[in-house]
Amino acid sequence: MSRVYNFSAGPAAIPDAVLERVRSDIPDWNGTGMSVMEVSHRSPEFVAVADKAAQDLRDLLDIPDDYSILFPQGGATLQFAMVPLNLAAEGEVVDYVQTGSWSKKAIAEASRYCEVNIVADSADRNFTCIPAETQWQRSREAAYLHYCANETIAGVEFPFIPDAGDVPLVSDMSSTILSQPLDVAKFGVIYAGAQKNIGPAGITLVIVRKDLLGRARPETPSLLDYAVYDKSGSMSNTPPCFAWYVAGLVFEHLKAEGGLEKMAERNRRKAAKLYAAIDASGFYSNPVKEDCRSRMNVPFVLQDASLDAAFLAQAEEAGLANLKGHRSVGGMRASIYNAMPEAGIDALIEFMREFERTCG
Ligand SMILES: *Cc1c(COP(=O)(O)O)cnc(C)c1O
């Protein structure tokens, strides 16, 4: 098996051990004589997988009992609509922090259903910082406060959890969930698309405080109603069984690896090394304010952008894949989620030094 170091922002790398397990499971899963893609979601075998995935996730994130774990489809993008449909009545005001491309999209979608108040906006700083909480212009009676914990494109991460007071705090954690321990009790809703740090695309994670269930607007399609997922164990229609099963294997793998404290420690080390290498050179740079640099997505530009194509081609040859930055930012981006081993960071740093030496 020949595997590259995959720095893709998403769909992103999945741990080798999980892929090996999937491969060996495929023809005859769990003694059924079928693959997991072919069994009924209501079979005892699959229900056991679903229950174990939820329990392992509960253990990993230490999710309190008054929170429900839901697995809808539609990705984080569908949550941009499901959040307002489930938490805000028509015409109600909702508060959003605008810190990058993803929160901007969440705001655009919420604006179709609610009155959106943007409490703070870092667009004029090119989304390279998180506005200080003391400057936020919160509305007096918001149905909830929404923020994106890690902006995957500009590589900006909240170094704190906002204090929402009595208002439910809602967070898009697509690109940071499971990268470190989290105080779930501070949130009303946490959501994440799977294909960054959880598993394959096609399944979405929603963690919702139970008192927020059952408030969806009357016209909400039932498959967009959190309460329907809660009541049916996310099986009111056929769920994405394969993605669910792989996500479960990832949760199991993270537990076996020592849990989220271990992940946090490793992720901090990985990011620190890479930023240090960027900062130490005059050849590469990262524009994000130091205290809110993402531990998961590290964008950087070459001082001489005419070398971009050569950098990417040679990186690819060296087994370092998908380093091209998002088109809105340019340059490079190394996404270094849980599944990126430290050896991958070392290989990237060594490649960057060598490229600077020969082309700089
Ligand atoms: C990738 C991403 C999304 C979009 O996720 P989909 O699952 O493709 O809908 C939204 N928010 C953040 C922070 C992301 O990284």
Side-chain angles (χ1 to χ4, degrees):
M1 189 167 73
S2 161
R3 299 265 297 158
V4 298
Y5 290 121
N6 179 7
F7 292 92
S8 169
I14 290 177
D16 287 354
V18 169
L19 294 177
E20 289 292 354
R21 171 74 186 277
V22 170
R23 174 159 76 174
S24 75
D25 273 0
I26 278 191
D28 174 10
W29 173 69
N30 219 352
T32 58
M34 293 172 268
S35 77
V36 69
M37 290 171 272
E38 302 162 286
V39 301
S40 165
H41 54 291
R42 309 212 185 272
S43 65
E45 290 88 355
F46 190 80
V47 170
V49 164
D51 289 347
K52 182 171 187 309
Q55 189 55 53
D56 282 345
L57 184 70
R58 211 173 268 283
D59 296 345
L60 278 169
L61 280 168
D62 204 5
I63 301 174
D65 290 342
D66 58 331
Y67 284 75
S68 186
I69 299 169
L70 318 177
F71 290 107
Q73 303 190 44
T77 305
L78 189 56
Q79 292 309 309
F80 295 167
M82 280 174 76
V83 165
L85 285 170
N86 279 272
L87 302 187
E90 208 180 327
E92 234 179 331
V93 177
V94 292
D95 280 354
Y96 277 72
V97 193
Q98 182 160 284
T99 53
S101 310
W102 289 114
S103 50
K104 201 169 161 179
K105 287 196 169 153
I107 288 166
E109 190 70 4
S111 302
R112 305 178 63 209
Y113 305 104
C114 307
E115 181 84 30
V116 174
N117 168 48
I118 297 179
V119 306
D121 184 0
S122 58
D124 60 345
R125 304 275 305 273
N126 241 340
F127 298 134
T128 56
C129 64
I130 301 292
E133 210 178 356
T134 48
Q135 313 287 315
W136 295 7
Q137 309 278 327
R138 302 256 310 267
S139 42
R140 275 227 306 236
E141 292 202 330
Y144 58 84
L145 169 64
H146 178 284
Y147 77 108
C148 176
N150 182 66
E151 289 280 3
T152 319
I153 291 176
V156 183
E157 182 169 9
F158 272 72
F160 60 90
I161 295 175
D163 177 6
D166 293 338
V167 169
L169 182 61
V170 179
S171 187
D172 176 359
M173 296 207 173
S174 297
S175 51
T176 181
I177 190 95
L178 299 176
S179 67
Q180 61 185 357
L182 180 67
D183 188 355
V184 173
K186 294 203 159 126
F187 295 86
V189 176
I190 293 165
Y191 64 88
Q195 66 278 13
K196 276 84 188 226
N197 223 0
I198 295 178
I203 195 162
T204 314
L205 169 65
V206 175
I207 302 169
V208 53
R209 210 175 60 216
K210 286 180 178 167
D211 66 297
L212 298 173
L213 296 167
R215 297 191 189 181
R217 299 181 189 193
E219 72 273 22
T220 305
S222 52
L223 270 182
L224 301 189
D225 181 345
Y226 288 150
V228 169
Y229 288 87
D230 177 59
K231 279 197 205 97
S232 64
S234 298
M235 292 196 195
S236 101
N237 73 331
T238 313
C241 295
F242 182 74
W244 199 336
Y245 145 83
V246 179
L249 292 180
V250 170
F251 301 154
E252 193 178 297
H253 174 73
L254 291 178
K255 279 178 84 173
E257 291 273 286
L260 300 191
E261 294 281 2
K262 262 277 153 35
M263 286 304 124
E265 206 182 289
R266 246 182 55 188
N267 287 329
R268 257 195 307 274
R269 231 173 18 238
K270 279 155 54 184
K273 251 193 228 184
L274 184 48
Y275 284 113
I278 292 167
D279 291 345
S281 96
F283 190 76
Y284 305 102
S285 66
N286 166 289
V288 179
K289 199 162 161 267
E290 243 171 79
D291 67 351
C292 49
R293 282 173 161 183
S294 168
R295 295 163 307 115
M296 296 285 104
N297 312 95
V298 181
F300 58 92
V301 294
L302 276 61
Q303 199 181 38
D304 177 359
S306 72
L307 292 173
D308 283 5
F311 180 95
L312 287 166
Q314 290 179 31
E316 198 83 38
E317 250 167 58
L320 308 170
N322 291 319
L323 282 164
K324 192 172 172 37
H326 191 270
R327 59 190 182 279
S328 67
V329 177
M332 312 299 153
R333 173 176 50 173
S335 293
I336 54 173
Y337 304 113
N338 287 341
M340 175 59 62
E342 280 190 84
I345 307 291
D346 295 338
L348 173 59
I349 292 173
E350 196 188 310
F351 169 79
M352 288 167 69
R353 289 201 179 122
E354 189 57 20
F355 186 84
E356 178 177 354
R357 196 180 64 77
T358 52
C359 301

